Amino acid sequence: MIIRCIANTGASLSESYLNPGVYLTPKTQFNLTIGKEYIVYALRAYQENAWYYICDDNYTYYPMQNPAPLFEVVDDRVSKYWRLKLEPNGVLRIAFEEWFADPYFYDKLTDQEEAEVLIFEKVKERMDAEALSPQPSPAEGESEQQTSPPAVPVAPALV
C-alpha cells in the first residue's frame, strides 16, 4: 500500500486525533513532505481514527505512526505480508506476522533491540520490493476474464 502526503500539520486533523498530552495539537508539524509517497508497513484503527506506520522523513530504523487524514491512498494493494488482529478493546491492527508474534515487538523495535531491528529491515526490504512492483494493467485482467469458459460436458439425451 502506498500513500501520498497531502498535509503535514495537526491543523489538518479532526479533534478526535488531537491529544495535547502527547503533543498532538493543531501546531504539530509531522516529519512528512507534502506530495511525497510513502509505503505503509502497518496500520492501526480505533473508533473513527486510523494511523499508518511509515518510514517518515526522519526514518532511522523503525516506522512511525502518522494520522491517516494527512494522506491519500495512491496504491491500495494490500501487502501479502500483512496479517490482521482485532484486539478485545476494539483496536484493529494490520501488520506483518513478526509484529504479532511478540506483543512487545514494536516497543522492542523502538528501543533499538538488535533482533527486532534486523527483522524490520528484512520485512521492509520485502515490502518495499512488493509495493514498488508494477501493478497489473486492467487490460491483462480483462483478457483473462473474456476467455471462453471451459466446456461443460452434457449428458446424452435419453430417448
Side-chain angles (χ1 to χ4, degrees):
M1 177 177 194
I2 300 175
I3 54 178
R4 180 181 301 121
C5 179
I6 57 172
N8 59 8
T9 67
S12 300
L13 301 174
S14 66
E15 278 295 315
S16 64
Y17 281 94
L18 301 177
N19 182 348
V22 292
Y23 307 105
L24 279 173
T25 70
K27 294 182 180 183
T28 300
Q29 181 74 39
F30 294 89
N31 295 313
L32 304 166
T33 301
I34 295 174
K36 184 175 177 180
E37 295 182 355
Y38 299 88
I39 295 171
V40 178
Y41 299 100
L43 61 93
R44 176 175 63 91
Y46 181 68
Q47 296 176 346
E48 71 271 12
N49 294 340
W51 298 78
Y52 297 126
Y53 287 83
I54 63 168
C55 294
D56 65 13
D57 295 351
N58 282 346
Y59 170 70
T60 52
Y61 59 92
Y62 66 94
M64 293 287 297
Q65 65 175 347
N66 286 269
L70 301 179
F71 303 92
E72 63 184 355
V73 176
V74 295
D75 182 348
D76 63 358
R77 293 179 296 164
V78 297
S79 174
K80 68 182 179 183
Y81 301 106
W82 277 356
R83 302 296 177 260
L84 181 136
K85 182 178 182 183
L86 182 58
E87 297 176 1
N89 63 0
V91 173
L92 173 67
R93 293 189 191 275
I94 300 173
F96 46 91
E97 191 169 333
E98 294 86 348
W99 192 302
F100 295 130
D102 177 354
Y104 300 104
F105 176 84
Y106 189 72
D107 293 329
K108 291 176 181 179
L109 178 61
T110 60
D111 287 343
Q112 205 170 0
E113 292 197 20
E114 186 177 352
E116 284 71 20
V117 170
L118 290 173
I119 288 169
F120 180 67
E121 285 175 0
K122 290 177 185 174
V123 169
K124 181 181 181 308
E125 185 177 308
R126 291 192 311 252
M127 290 181 75
D128 288 351
E130 174 190 51
L132 299 174
S133 68
Q135 293 186 19
S137 68
E140 290 175 26
E142 289 173 7
S143 64
E144 290 175 15
Q145 293 175 1
Q146 292 175 358
T147 58
S148 301
V152 177
V154 179
L158 295 174
V159 198

